Structure formats: C-alpha cells, structure tokens
C-alpha cells in the first residue's frame, strides 16, 4: 500500500512542478537613464525604439510568451509615456479605420495584449533596483514572480524569461539569468559563485560589481529574474549598499542563506540597451535580420 501512496505522491508533485506558472511580471522602469541623456530628459529609456518598436514592447512580449497575465510597472512621474503606450487609443484607431489602414490597428493594439492586465506603482525616488522591486510588494499575490529590465534586450527563439521559467518549473525555486561576461565588464554586474547540480547551476553566493580579483566567476547577472515573494521580507531589511542604493543583489545574497537559487546561461543574443554602444548594436542586429533592411546594413 505504501508504494501506491508514494506513486500517487510522485504524480501529484510532478503535476505541481510541470504546471508552475509565472502570472505576474514586474518591470522596474523608474531609473534616471542618465547614460542616455539628453534624450532621456523627456523620453523614458524604455521607449527608445529598435527601429519601430520600443524596448519595453519587446520586454512585454517576452513576459507574455512566458505566460504573464499581469504586467506591473514600477514607474516614476517622468515615465507617463509608457502608461500611454499600453493604453487603448480609440481616436487613433478610428482614424486608421476611416482611412482604410486597418493593418496598422493591429500594430498599435495587438491582440496578444488584450487579455493582459497592466498595473502601475510609483517609485518616488530612484533609490535603486531593490527599492524599485519593493514598491511592487502589495501587488504580488503569487508565490513567485518575474522581473524584466527592459533595457536588457534579448533576441532569441524561445523568450529568455520562458527559458528561466522552464528551470523554475523543474526546481520550484528562484532563478536568475546569467551570461558569460568578459573580465573587463565584471565590475559592472552582480557576479555569481555557483556549483553544477544535476545539470543545473546552483548559487553559492553573489557579489555586486566585484573587482576582477574579487569576482568568483565570469557569470554575470543581467535583467531577468524569477524570485520567490519572500524576497520582499529581505528587501525590507536591506540597508542601502553601493551608491547609497538598495541593491537587489544584496537581498538575493541574504536570501541564499535560507533558500535555493538557480542560474541559467540563456540561449540568445543580449544587448545592453542602457548603453549607447549596446543600443546601436541592437538596431544593427535587428535590421540585419529584417528583409527590408538587410541591404542597407550591408552598405
Ligand atoms: P540602471 O542601472 O540601468 O539605471 O537600472 P538607470 O537609472 O535606468 O540608468 P543610468 O545608469 O542612470 O543610465 C536598471 C533597471 O532598474 C530600473 C531602471 O529603470 C532599469 O530598468 N531602476 C533602477 C529603477 O526602476 N529604479 C531605480 O531606483 C534604479
């Protein structure tokens, strides 16, 4: 009889694991974007276009591909354009319909956005990424939620957040996206110390912006996370760190003493569109994959 019980337990556990969902995704968009001044004086960095589509739309599409049903923006008063962008513009839709430009309506209000809920919460001062995430605390109802930093653009066949979600489904734990950074760039990122465990990378520790001598590996964390909501209790206790900001990395380090966190080296092309160099590379890359632009890029 005990075998039967174990058998059914296994089935139930497997079912829970395979059905892990990622319904809520937080988009912190309240940063100053000072590396992109002067344009970010009045245009949010996340609205910068990669040809005709703003960075934030790529990021929202990626979240929806991972199963997101609610997108939570952590915004500031300078980011109203993002709110407008995801609102229905009936006046424009009517004008397009009246002038027989129906195909454009799909581009301004695509079907895949229709069932998604958009929520907004303010971060009144840019006190760091950890502080921004903490503002979403009261909106998170699920045990795990995603975080996407839209200025990290990932172009890939399977969306990057979906790749993280697949690891989350296997482990029922928090997961961070990482990439192999050159030595010279490690000082700009959170860098992980991880061990291989059943083909997965399990974190031992994480250091924010280490010098080359302090860096435990070349695996740097970028803008994709799936975190347990217990991170909020830790964020509330996290003191300002580097630059006087509340760092998400510091909270994740404390979290590691009680919970498991895994890392995934994602498949795809990453562009740091918070920097001008990364932004230009992203435009050239996208253009070189689009039929209309290939020749222009070649020239
Ligand atoms: P960045 O480190 O790129 O900062 O933030 P930033 O302010 O946007 O840009 P620079 O460095 O001044 O040029 C990473 C992400 O975290 C968000 C940003 O909007 C970006 O998506 N963030 C950062 C916040 O929402 N609030 C903060 O206080 C800091």
């Amino acid at each position: 009889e005990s075998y039967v019980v174990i058998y059914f337990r296994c089935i139930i556990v497997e079912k829970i694991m395979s059905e892990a969902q990622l319904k809520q995704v937080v988009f912190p968009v309240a940063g100053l974007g000072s590396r992109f001044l002067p344009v970010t004086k009045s245009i949010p960095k996340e609205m910068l276009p990669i040809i005709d589509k703003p960075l934030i739309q790529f990021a929202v599409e990626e979240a929806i591909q991972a199963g997101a049903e609610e997108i939570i923006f952590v915004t500031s008063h300078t980011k109203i354009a993002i709110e407008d962008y995801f609102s229905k513009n009936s006046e424009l839709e009517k004008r397009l319909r009246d002038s027989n430009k129906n195909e454009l309506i799909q581009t301004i209000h695509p079907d895949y956005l229709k069932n998604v809920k958009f929520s907004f919460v303010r971060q009144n001062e840019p006190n760091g990424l950890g502080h921004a995430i903490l503002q979403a605390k009261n909106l998170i109802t699920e045990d795990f939620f995603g975080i996407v930093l839209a200025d990290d653009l990932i172009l890939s066949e399977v969306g990057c957040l979906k790749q993280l979600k697949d690891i989350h489904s296997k482990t029922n734990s928090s997961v961070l996206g990482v990439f192999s950074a050159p030595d010279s760039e490690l000082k700009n990122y959170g860098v992980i110390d991880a061990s291989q465990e059943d083909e997965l990378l399990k974190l031992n520790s994480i250091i924010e912006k280490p010098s080359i001598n302090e860096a435990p590996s070349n695996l740097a964390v970028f803008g994709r996370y799936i975190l347990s909501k217990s991170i909020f209790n830790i964020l509330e206790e996290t003191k300002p760190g580097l630059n006087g900001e509340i760092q998400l990395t510091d909270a994740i380090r404390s979290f590691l003493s009680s919970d498991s966190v895994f890392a995934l080296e994602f498949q795809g092309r990453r562009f740091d569109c918070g920097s001008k160099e990364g932004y230009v590379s992203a435009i050239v890359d996208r253009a070189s994959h689009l039929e209309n632009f290939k020749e222009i890029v070649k020239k």
Side-chain angles (χ1 to χ4, degrees), residues 7-59:
Y7 173 75
F8 279 110
R9 268 209 197 119
C10 286
I11 289 186
I12 290 166
V13 168
E14 201 170 279
K15 202 161 168 51
I16 291 170
M17 296 301 214
S18 64
E19 283 179 4
Q21 288 182 323
L22 189 66
K23 291 186 179 170
Q24 297 181 298
V25 178
V26 176
F27 284 71
V29 294
L32 293 176
S34 47
R35 281 170 294 163
F36 247 106
L37 283 167
V39 67
T40 44
K41 186 179 170 204
S42 62
I43 293 175
K45 165 169 80 172
E46 297 77 12
M47 288 302 295
L48 293 177
I50 304 298
I51 305 181
D52 55 357
K53 200 158 85 172
L55 284 169
I56 194 73
Q57 191 172 346
F58 286 94

Short mmCIF file of all heavy atoms in Angstrom, two decimals, residues 7-59:
data_model
loop_
_atom_site.label_atom_id
_atom_site.label_comp_id
_atom_site.label_asym_id
_atom_site.label_seq_id
_atom_site.Cartn_x
_atom_site.Cartn_y
_atom_site.Cartn_z
N TYR A 7 3.59 6.38 -5.10
CA TYR A 7 3.37 6.56 -6.52
C TYR A 7 2.46 7.79 -6.78
O TYR A 7 2.77 8.65 -7.58
CB TYR A 7 2.72 5.29 -7.11
CG TYR A 7 2.29 5.42 -8.54
CD1 TYR A 7 3.24 5.40 -9.57
CD2 TYR A 7 0.95 5.58 -8.87
CE1 TYR A 7 2.84 5.53 -10.89
CE2 TYR A 7 0.55 5.72 -10.18
CZ TYR A 7 1.50 5.69 -11.18
OH TYR A 7 1.10 5.83 -12.48
N PHE A 8 1.35 7.85 -6.00
CA PHE A 8 0.43 8.98 -6.21
C PHE A 8 1.05 10.30 -5.78
O PHE A 8 0.85 11.32 -6.42
CB PHE A 8 -0.91 8.72 -5.52
CG PHE A 8 -1.79 7.82 -6.35
CD1 PHE A 8 -2.08 6.52 -5.96
CD2 PHE A 8 -2.29 8.28 -7.56
CE1 PHE A 8 -2.86 5.69 -6.74
CE2 PHE A 8 -3.07 7.45 -8.36
CZ PHE A 8 -3.36 6.16 -7.95
N ARG A 9 1.84 10.25 -4.70
CA ARG A 9 2.53 11.48 -4.27
C ARG A 9 3.42 12.00 -5.39
O ARG A 9 3.46 13.18 -5.69
CB ARG A 9 3.41 11.20 -3.05
CG ARG A 9 2.65 11.46 -1.80
CD ARG A 9 3.57 11.89 -0.67
NE ARG A 9 2.83 11.73 0.56
CZ ARG A 9 3.17 10.94 1.55
NH1 ARG A 9 4.30 10.29 1.50
NH2 ARG A 9 2.41 10.85 2.60
N CYS A 10 4.16 11.05 -6.02
CA CYS A 10 5.07 11.45 -7.11
C CYS A 10 4.28 12.11 -8.23
O CYS A 10 4.69 13.13 -8.77
CB CYS A 10 5.82 10.25 -7.67
SG CYS A 10 7.08 9.70 -6.55
N ILE A 11 3.14 11.50 -8.56
CA ILE A 11 2.33 12.06 -9.65
C ILE A 11 1.90 13.48 -9.30
O ILE A 11 1.99 14.40 -10.11
CB ILE A 11 1.10 11.17 -9.94
CG1 ILE A 11 1.58 9.88 -10.59
CG2 ILE A 11 0.09 11.90 -10.82
CD1 ILE A 11 0.47 8.98 -11.05
N ILE A 12 1.45 13.66 -8.05
CA ILE A 12 0.97 14.99 -7.64
C ILE A 12 2.11 16.00 -7.69
O ILE A 12 1.98 17.08 -8.26
CB ILE A 12 0.35 14.94 -6.21
CG1 ILE A 12 -0.98 14.17 -6.28
CG2 ILE A 12 0.11 16.34 -5.67
CD1 ILE A 12 -1.53 13.75 -4.94
N VAL A 13 3.29 15.63 -7.14
CA VAL A 13 4.44 16.55 -7.14
C VAL A 13 4.80 16.91 -8.57
O VAL A 13 5.00 18.08 -8.92
CB VAL A 13 5.66 15.92 -6.41
CG1 VAL A 13 6.91 16.74 -6.67
CG2 VAL A 13 5.37 15.84 -4.92
N GLU A 14 4.85 15.88 -9.45
CA GLU A 14 5.22 16.12 -10.84
C GLU A 14 4.25 17.10 -11.50
O GLU A 14 4.63 18.00 -12.22
CB GLU A 14 5.21 14.80 -11.60
CG GLU A 14 6.04 14.84 -12.86
CD GLU A 14 6.19 13.45 -13.44
OE1 GLU A 14 7.04 12.69 -12.96
OE2 GLU A 14 5.40 13.14 -14.33
N LYS A 15 2.96 16.92 -11.18
CA LYS A 15 1.94 17.76 -11.77
C LYS A 15 2.13 19.22 -11.32
O LYS A 15 2.12 20.13 -12.13
CB LYS A 15 0.55 17.25 -11.34
CG LYS A 15 -0.54 17.69 -12.26
CD LYS A 15 -1.75 16.80 -12.08
CE LYS A 15 -2.98 17.38 -12.77
NZ LYS A 15 -2.77 17.76 -14.14
N ILE A 16 2.38 19.39 -9.99
CA ILE A 16 2.57 20.75 -9.47
C ILE A 16 3.76 21.39 -10.17
O ILE A 16 3.71 22.51 -10.65
CB ILE A 16 2.79 20.72 -7.94
CG1 ILE A 16 1.50 20.32 -7.24
CG2 ILE A 16 3.25 22.10 -7.44
CD1 ILE A 16 1.65 20.02 -5.77
N MET A 17 4.86 20.59 -10.28
CA MET A 17 6.09 21.13 -10.89
C MET A 17 5.86 21.52 -12.34
O MET A 17 6.24 22.58 -12.78
CB MET A 17 7.21 20.08 -10.86
CG MET A 17 7.64 19.70 -9.48
SD MET A 17 8.25 21.10 -8.54
CE MET A 17 9.49 20.32 -7.58
N SER A 18 5.18 20.60 -13.09
CA SER A 18 5.08 20.86 -14.52
C SER A 18 4.10 22.01 -14.81
O SER A 18 4.13 22.57 -15.88
CB SER A 18 4.66 19.60 -15.26
OG SER A 18 3.39 19.25 -14.82
N GLU A 19 3.25 22.32 -13.82
CA GLU A 19 2.30 23.38 -14.09
C GLU A 19 2.70 24.72 -13.46
O GLU A 19 1.87 25.61 -13.34
CB GLU A 19 0.92 22.96 -13.59
CG GLU A 19 0.27 21.97 -14.54
CD GLU A 19 -1.09 21.52 -14.08
OE1 GLU A 19 -1.57 22.02 -13.05
OE2 GLU A 19 -1.65 20.65 -14.75
N ALA A 20 3.95 24.81 -13.01
CA ALA A 20 4.39 26.07 -12.41
C ALA A 20 4.08 27.20 -13.39
O ALA A 20 4.34 27.08 -14.59
CB ALA A 20 5.88 26.01 -12.12
N GLN A 21 3.51 28.25 -12.86
CA GLN A 21 3.12 29.35 -13.73
C GLN A 21 3.85 30.61 -13.34
O GLN A 21 4.38 30.71 -12.23
CB GLN A 21 1.62 29.58 -13.61
CG GLN A 21 0.84 28.47 -14.27
CD GLN A 21 -0.65 28.70 -14.19
OE1 GLN A 21 -1.16 29.21 -13.20
NE2 GLN A 21 -1.35 28.34 -15.25
N LEU A 22 3.86 31.56 -14.25
CA LEU A 22 4.50 32.84 -13.96
C LEU A 22 3.52 33.91 -14.39
O LEU A 22 3.57 34.41 -15.52
CB LEU A 22 5.81 32.93 -14.76
CG LEU A 22 6.71 34.11 -14.39
CD1 LEU A 22 7.23 33.97 -12.98
CD2 LEU A 22 7.87 34.21 -15.36
N LYS A 23 2.57 34.19 -13.49
CA LYS A 23 1.47 35.06 -13.90
C LYS A 23 1.81 36.54 -13.78
O LYS A 23 1.24 37.36 -14.47
CB LYS A 23 0.24 34.77 -13.03
CG LYS A 23 -0.37 33.41 -13.32
CD LYS A 23 -1.66 33.27 -12.53
CE LYS A 23 -2.30 31.92 -12.81
NZ LYS A 23 -3.41 31.67 -11.91
N GLN A 24 2.70 36.88 -12.84
CA GLN A 24 2.98 38.30 -12.59
C GLN A 24 4.44 38.63 -12.91
O GLN A 24 5.35 37.94 -12.44
CB GLN A 24 2.70 38.63 -11.13
CG GLN A 24 1.23 38.44 -10.75
CD GLN A 24 0.98 38.80 -9.29
OE1 GLN A 24 1.53 38.18 -8.40
NE2 GLN A 24 0.16 39.82 -9.07
N VAL A 25 4.63 39.67 -13.67
CA VAL A 25 6.00 40.09 -14.01
C VAL A 25 6.14 41.58 -13.72
O VAL A 25 5.30 42.40 -14.12
CB VAL A 25 6.35 39.78 -15.48
CG1 VAL A 25 7.76 40.26 -15.81
CG2 VAL A 25 6.24 38.28 -15.75
N VAL A 26 7.20 41.92 -12.98
CA VAL A 26 7.46 43.31 -12.59
C VAL A 26 8.48 43.93 -13.54
O VAL A 26 9.50 43.31 -13.85
CB VAL A 26 7.99 43.36 -11.13
CG1 VAL A 26 8.34 44.78 -10.73
CG2 VAL A 26 6.96 42.77 -10.17
N PHE A 27 8.16 45.13 -13.99
CA PHE A 27 9.07 45.89 -14.86
C PHE A 27 9.49 47.17 -14.14
O PHE A 27 8.73 48.14 -14.13
CB PHE A 27 8.34 46.29 -16.16
CG PHE A 27 8.17 45.17 -17.12
CD1 PHE A 27 7.28 44.14 -16.85
CD2 PHE A 27 8.88 45.14 -18.30
CE1 PHE A 27 7.12 43.09 -17.74
CE2 PHE A 27 8.71 44.10 -19.20
CZ PHE A 27 7.84 43.07 -18.92
N PRO A 28 10.68 47.18 -13.55
CA PRO A 28 11.12 48.44 -12.93
C PRO A 28 11.58 49.40 -14.03
O PRO A 28 12.50 49.10 -14.77
CB PRO A 28 12.30 48.01 -12.05
CG PRO A 28 12.62 46.62 -12.43
CD PRO A 28 11.67 46.13 -13.44
N VAL A 29 10.91 50.52 -14.13
CA VAL A 29 11.25 51.49 -15.20
C VAL A 29 11.40 52.90 -14.62
O VAL A 29 11.15 53.89 -15.30
CB VAL A 29 10.18 51.48 -16.33
CG1 VAL A 29 10.18 50.16 -17.06
CG2 VAL A 29 8.78 51.78 -15.79
N ALA A 30 11.82 52.95 -13.35
CA ALA A 30 11.87 54.27 -12.70
C ALA A 30 13.29 54.84 -12.62
O ALA A 30 13.50 55.87 -11.98
CB ALA A 30 11.27 54.16 -11.30
N GLY A 31 14.24 54.19 -13.29
CA GLY A 31 15.63 54.69 -13.26
C GLY A 31 15.76 56.00 -14.02
O GLY A 31 14.88 56.39 -14.79
N LEU A 32 16.89 56.69 -13.80
CA LEU A 32 17.08 58.01 -14.41
C LEU A 32 17.52 57.93 -15.88
O LEU A 32 17.32 58.86 -16.64
CB LEU A 32 18.15 58.78 -13.63
CG LEU A 32 17.77 59.18 -12.21
CD1 LEU A 32 18.96 59.85 -11.52
CD2 LEU A 32 16.56 60.11 -12.23
N GLY A 33 18.16 56.84 -16.25
CA GLY A 33 18.65 56.71 -17.62
C GLY A 33 19.70 57.75 -17.94
O GLY A 33 19.77 58.28 -19.06
N SER A 34 20.55 58.06 -16.96
CA SER A 34 21.49 59.18 -17.15
C SER A 34 22.54 58.90 -18.23
O SER A 34 23.04 59.83 -18.84
CB SER A 34 22.17 59.55 -15.83
OG SER A 34 22.62 58.39 -15.20
N ARG A 35 22.81 57.61 -18.51
CA ARG A 35 23.79 57.31 -19.57
C ARG A 35 23.23 57.67 -20.95
O ARG A 35 23.96 57.67 -21.93
CB ARG A 35 24.16 55.82 -19.54
CG ARG A 35 25.17 55.47 -18.46
CD ARG A 35 25.31 53.98 -18.33
NE ARG A 35 24.08 53.35 -17.85
CZ ARG A 35 23.80 52.05 -17.94
NH1 ARG A 35 24.66 51.24 -18.49
NH2 ARG A 35 22.67 51.58 -17.48
N PHE A 36 21.94 57.92 -21.01
CA PHE A 36 21.33 58.22 -22.31
C PHE A 36 20.85 59.66 -22.42
O PHE A 36 20.05 59.99 -23.31
CB PHE A 36 20.19 57.25 -22.59
CG PHE A 36 20.47 56.33 -23.72
CD1 PHE A 36 20.77 55.00 -23.52
CD2 PHE A 36 20.48 56.82 -25.03
CE1 PHE A 36 21.05 54.17 -24.57
CE2 PHE A 36 20.76 56.00 -26.09
CZ PHE A 36 21.05 54.67 -25.86
N LEU A 37 21.33 60.52 -21.52
CA LEU A 37 20.97 61.93 -21.67
C LEU A 37 21.64 62.50 -22.92
O LEU A 37 22.69 61.99 -23.31
CB LEU A 37 21.43 62.70 -20.42
CG LEU A 37 20.53 62.50 -19.20
CD1 LEU A 37 21.21 63.02 -17.93
CD2 LEU A 37 19.17 63.16 -19.41
N PRO A 38 21.09 63.46 -23.63
CA PRO A 38 19.92 64.23 -23.24
C PRO A 38 18.56 63.61 -23.57
O PRO A 38 17.54 64.08 -23.05
CB PRO A 38 20.10 65.53 -24.02
CG PRO A 38 20.83 65.12 -25.25
CD PRO A 38 21.75 64.00 -24.83
N VAL A 39 18.49 62.58 -24.43
CA VAL A 39 17.16 62.15 -24.89
C VAL A 39 16.27 61.72 -23.72
O VAL A 39 15.05 61.95 -23.72
CB VAL A 39 17.27 61.03 -25.97
CG1 VAL A 39 17.82 59.73 -25.40
CG2 VAL A 39 15.91 60.78 -26.60
N THR A 40 16.87 61.12 -22.68
CA THR A 40 16.06 60.62 -21.55
C THR A 40 15.58 61.74 -20.62
O THR A 40 14.94 61.47 -19.60
CB THR A 40 16.85 59.57 -20.76
OG1 THR A 40 18.19 60.05 -20.58
CG2 THR A 40 16.90 58.25 -21.48
N LYS A 41 15.89 62.99 -21.00
CA LYS A 41 15.34 64.10 -20.21
C LYS A 41 13.81 64.08 -20.30
O LYS A 41 13.12 64.35 -19.32
CB LYS A 41 15.89 65.42 -20.78
CG LYS A 41 15.50 66.62 -19.96
CD LYS A 41 16.09 67.88 -20.56
CE LYS A 41 15.49 69.10 -19.89
NZ LYS A 41 15.57 70.29 -20.75
N SER A 42 13.28 63.75 -21.48
CA SER A 42 11.82 63.72 -21.60
C SER A 42 11.28 62.43 -22.20
O SER A 42 10.07 62.23 -22.23
CB SER A 42 11.33 64.91 -22.43
OG SER A 42 11.86 64.82 -23.72
N ILE A 43 12.16 61.53 -22.65
CA ILE A 43 11.68 60.25 -23.19
C ILE A 43 12.25 59.12 -22.34
O ILE A 43 13.47 59.03 -22.16
CB ILE A 43 12.13 60.06 -24.66
CG1 ILE A 43 11.42 61.10 -25.53
CG2 ILE A 43 11.83 58.66 -25.16
CD1 ILE A 43 11.87 61.11 -26.96
N PRO A 44 11.38 58.26 -21.78
CA PRO A 44 11.91 57.16 -20.97
C PRO A 44 12.84 56.29 -21.82
O PRO A 44 12.55 56.02 -22.99
CB PRO A 44 10.66 56.36 -20.60
CG PRO A 44 9.51 57.27 -20.79
CD PRO A 44 9.91 58.24 -21.86
N LYS A 45 13.93 55.87 -21.20
CA LYS A 45 14.88 54.99 -21.90
C LYS A 45 14.16 53.77 -22.50
O LYS A 45 14.48 53.33 -23.61
CB LYS A 45 15.92 54.56 -20.86
CG LYS A 45 16.79 53.43 -21.20
CD LYS A 45 17.94 53.29 -20.21
CE LYS A 45 17.53 52.59 -18.92
NZ LYS A 45 18.69 52.31 -18.06
N GLU A 46 13.17 53.27 -21.78
CA GLU A 46 12.46 52.05 -22.22
C GLU A 46 11.61 52.29 -23.47
O GLU A 46 11.14 51.36 -24.10
CB GLU A 46 11.55 51.54 -21.09
CG GLU A 46 12.27 51.10 -19.83
CD GLU A 46 12.74 52.26 -18.94
OE1 GLU A 46 12.32 53.42 -19.17
OE2 GLU A 46 13.51 52.00 -18.02
N MET A 47 11.38 53.57 -23.82
CA MET A 47 10.61 53.88 -25.03
C MET A 47 11.52 54.07 -26.25
O MET A 47 11.03 54.34 -27.35
CB MET A 47 9.77 55.14 -24.82
CG MET A 47 8.58 54.96 -23.89
SD MET A 47 7.44 53.69 -24.44
CE MET A 47 6.85 54.42 -25.96
N LEU A 48 12.83 53.95 -26.09
CA LEU A 48 13.72 54.10 -27.25
C LEU A 48 13.41 52.97 -28.23
O LEU A 48 13.29 51.81 -27.84
CB LEU A 48 15.19 54.03 -26.81
CG LEU A 48 15.67 55.20 -25.95
CD1 LEU A 48 17.12 54.98 -25.52
CD2 LEU A 48 15.55 56.52 -26.71
N PRO A 49 13.28 53.32 -29.52
CA PRO A 49 12.87 52.29 -30.48
C PRO A 49 14.05 51.50 -31.06
O PRO A 49 15.12 52.04 -31.30
CB PRO A 49 12.21 53.11 -31.60
CG PRO A 49 12.90 54.43 -31.55
CD PRO A 49 13.34 54.66 -30.12
N ILE A 50 13.79 50.21 -31.25
CA ILE A 50 14.72 49.39 -32.03
C ILE A 50 14.06 49.33 -33.42
O ILE A 50 13.23 48.46 -33.68
CB ILE A 50 14.90 47.98 -31.41
CG1 ILE A 50 15.36 48.10 -29.98
CG2 ILE A 50 15.88 47.15 -32.23
CD1 ILE A 50 16.70 48.77 -29.77
N ILE A 51 14.35 50.31 -34.22
CA ILE A 51 13.70 50.65 -35.49
C ILE A 51 12.31 51.23 -35.20
O ILE A 51 12.19 52.43 -35.03
CB ILE A 51 13.67 49.49 -36.51
CG1 ILE A 51 15.13 48.99 -36.72
CG2 ILE A 51 13.07 49.94 -37.85
CD1 ILE A 51 15.28 47.86 -37.69
N ASP A 52 11.27 50.36 -35.12
CA ASP A 52 9.92 50.92 -34.97
C ASP A 52 9.21 50.47 -33.70
O ASP A 52 8.06 50.81 -33.47
CB ASP A 52 9.07 50.52 -36.20
CG ASP A 52 9.07 49.02 -36.40
OD1 ASP A 52 9.75 48.31 -35.63
OD2 ASP A 52 8.39 48.54 -37.32
N LYS A 53 9.89 49.67 -32.90
CA LYS A 53 9.22 49.11 -31.72
C LYS A 53 10.04 49.46 -30.48
O LYS A 53 11.25 49.24 -30.46
CB LYS A 53 9.15 47.59 -31.90
CG LYS A 53 8.13 46.92 -31.07
CD LYS A 53 7.72 45.57 -31.64
CE LYS A 53 8.64 44.45 -31.24
NZ LYS A 53 8.17 43.13 -31.62
N PRO A 54 9.40 50.03 -29.45
CA PRO A 54 10.18 50.42 -28.27
C PRO A 54 10.67 49.21 -27.47
O PRO A 54 10.02 48.15 -27.46
CB PRO A 54 9.19 51.26 -27.46
CG PRO A 54 7.85 50.84 -27.90
CD PRO A 54 7.96 50.36 -29.32
N LEU A 55 11.77 49.41 -26.78
CA LEU A 55 12.36 48.34 -25.95
C LEU A 55 11.33 47.69 -25.05
O LEU A 55 11.30 46.48 -24.88
CB LEU A 55 13.46 48.94 -25.07
CG LEU A 55 14.78 49.27 -25.77
CD1 LEU A 55 15.67 50.10 -24.86
CD2 LEU A 55 15.47 47.98 -26.17
N ILE A 56 10.46 48.52 -24.47
CA ILE A 56 9.50 47.99 -23.49
C ILE A 56 8.55 46.98 -24.13
O ILE A 56 8.12 46.03 -23.48
CB ILE A 56 8.72 49.15 -22.81
CG1 ILE A 56 7.97 48.67 -21.56
CG2 ILE A 56 7.79 49.86 -23.76
CD1 ILE A 56 8.83 48.37 -20.39
N GLN A 57 8.26 47.15 -25.42
CA GLN A 57 7.34 46.21 -26.06
C GLN A 57 8.00 44.84 -26.27
O GLN A 57 7.35 43.80 -26.09
CB GLN A 57 6.82 46.77 -27.39
CG GLN A 57 5.66 45.93 -27.92
CD GLN A 57 4.98 46.55 -29.11
OE1 GLN A 57 5.19 47.73 -29.42
NE2 GLN A 57 4.17 45.77 -29.80
N PHE A 58 9.28 44.85 -26.64
CA PHE A 58 9.99 43.57 -26.74
C PHE A 58 9.90 42.83 -25.40
O PHE A 58 9.68 41.63 -25.34
CB PHE A 58 11.47 43.80 -27.09
CG PHE A 58 11.72 44.20 -28.51
CD1 PHE A 58 11.81 45.53 -28.87
CD2 PHE A 58 11.88 43.23 -29.49
CE1 PHE A 58 12.05 45.90 -30.18
CE2 PHE A 58 12.13 43.59 -30.80
CZ PHE A 58 12.20 44.94 -31.15
N ALA A 59 10.11 43.61 -24.32
CA ALA A 59 10.15 43.01 -22.99
C ALA A 59 8.78 42.47 -22.57
O ALA A 59 8.66 41.38 -22.01
CB ALA A 59 10.66 44.04 -21.99
#
